[in-house]
Amino acid sequence: SGTTRPVRILKYVQRCANSGDVLSVISAIDAYCSKVEWAMNVGDEKGAILDAVVLETRPRYVLELGTYCGYSTLRIAHLLAPGARLITLEMNPHYAQVAIEMFRHAGLDAQVELLVGSSSALIPQLRKKLDIEKFDLVFIDHWKVSYLPDTKLLEECGLLKAGSVLLADNVTCPGAPDYLQYVRNSPRYQSQYFPARLEYLQVEDGVEKSVFLG
Ligand SMILES: O=C(NC/C=C/[C@H]1O[C@@H](n2ccc(=O)cc2)[C@H](O)[C@@H]1O)c1cc([N+](=O)[O-])cc(O)c1O
Ligand SMILES: [Mg+2]
């Protein structure tokens, strides 16, 4: 039985990226996935949009839905102020283990709190479990069919406040049409689309930034 794609990415990073250097880890993942084998990281073009939203939001509490190898987790963690908290949810224990090793190589494992489980099971537990009232920024990049139900769950659990920012990957490819329709038509959101290419490919994608209005 061979390795998995996340393990091959991790091994490449451990071999080629300087440990403790998060930017070299990020560029090593992008190098591997653009030259050797594609993987569903947000990538460097959409990643730059994510960076800009993190910098403008200056979030204290961040939630990520879908860790995978931890690429976007690292991009976010790198830009957070001391004392900020980044929670990332991953339901696949193997992916979670790879991501933890990725965070260790980048020297950011102390900056990230990874919870293993499905978002629908974990989101209702976050307030009690983590003593967090509201999230300032949510990066949504897990199953595309879960974007809308999980957004409604975040609202119902009182985890969003006026000004909370949702940033959703892949709203064009693979697409999250029900989510888009909701955030673009609900009076409770101010939504904006940022077109970009799908990671490592010449295919059209985009991210949607939606500000919760309370
Ligand atoms: O399908 C995609 N993403 C699904 C991501 C799923 C990730 O979220 C986790 N999760 C964590 C918690 C959950 O509750 C559910 C899943 C899964 O265990 C996986 O690690 C995708 C596909 C393409 N593509 O071009 O095909 C491009 C992209 O950028 C994508 O993000
Ligand atoms: Mg994605």
Side-chain angles (χ1 to χ4, degrees):
S1 73
T3 62
T4 63
R5 184 169 309 191
V7 167
R8 293 193 292 272
I9 297 170
L10 174 65
K11 287 188 184 305
Y12 178 85
V13 164
Q14 289 170 334
R15 211 172 50 243
C16 303
N18 315 320
S19 71
D21 179 350
V22 61
L23 292 178
S24 87
V25 169
I26 290 167
S27 48
I29 296 171
D30 282 330
Y32 183 84
C33 296
S34 47
K35 285 183 297 191
V36 183
E37 50 179 331
W38 185 90
M40 57 184 178
N41 316 120
V42 74
D44 53 355
E45 187 180 356
K46 291 185 288 176
I49 300 167
L50 171 60
D51 294 351
V53 170
V54 173
L55 289 170
E56 82 177 344
T57 309
R58 298 211 303 274
R60 183 162 167 65
Y61 298 105
V62 185
L63 176 65
E64 175 179 62
L65 305 181
T67 315
Y68 190 47
C69 298
Y71 175 92
S72 50
T73 328
L74 288 176
R75 288 198 81 117
I76 296 167
H78 173 58
L79 298 176
L80 295 182
R85 290 178 69 186
L86 171 52
I87 318 301
T88 185
L89 309 185
E90 178 47 60
M91 71 181 282
N92 181 316
H94 174 67
Y95 294 168
Q97 193 48 50
V98 167
I100 287 164
E101 297 297 325
M102 200 73 84
F103 303 152
R104 283 198 185 125
H105 195 78
L108 288 179
D109 48 304
Q111 266 65 41
V112 181
E113 297 164 75
L114 188 154
L115 301 181
V116 181
S118 73
S119 51
S120 54
L122 288 173
I123 287 171
Q125 300 175 28
L126 294 179
R127 286 177 93 124
K128 198 168 18 53
K129 217 178 168 111
L130 298 171
D131 194 24
I132 288 178
E133 289 280 312
K134 310 278 184 193
F135 286 103
D136 305 297
L137 172 64
V138 184
F139 181 57
I140 311 172
D141 192 21
H142 59 337
W143 303 145
K144 310 316 160 193
V145 295
S146 299
Y147 283 28
L148 181 54
D150 283 351
T151 296
K152 291 181 173 173
L153 189 56
L154 286 166
E155 291 173 15
E156 285 150 21
C157 294
L159 288 167
L160 302 179
K161 64 179 174 36
S164 291
V165 175
L166 306 185
L167 190 69
D169 189 27
N170 311 116
V171 295
T172 296
C173 177
D178 57 344
Y179 172 81
L180 271 191
Q181 199 275 338
Y182 179 73
V183 291
R184 290 178 176 175
N185 295 288
S186 163
R188 302 183 77 186
Y189 290 92
Q190 179 58 43
S191 214
Q192 182 181 6
Y193 179 66
F194 296 86
R197 278 164 300 185
L198 184 67
E199 52 267 27
Y200 318 118
L201 295 175
Q202 301 300 326
V203 170
E204 188 183 332
D205 190 16
V207 296
E208 187 85 0
K209 177 191 168 194
S210 307
V211 182
F212 185 61
L213 303 174

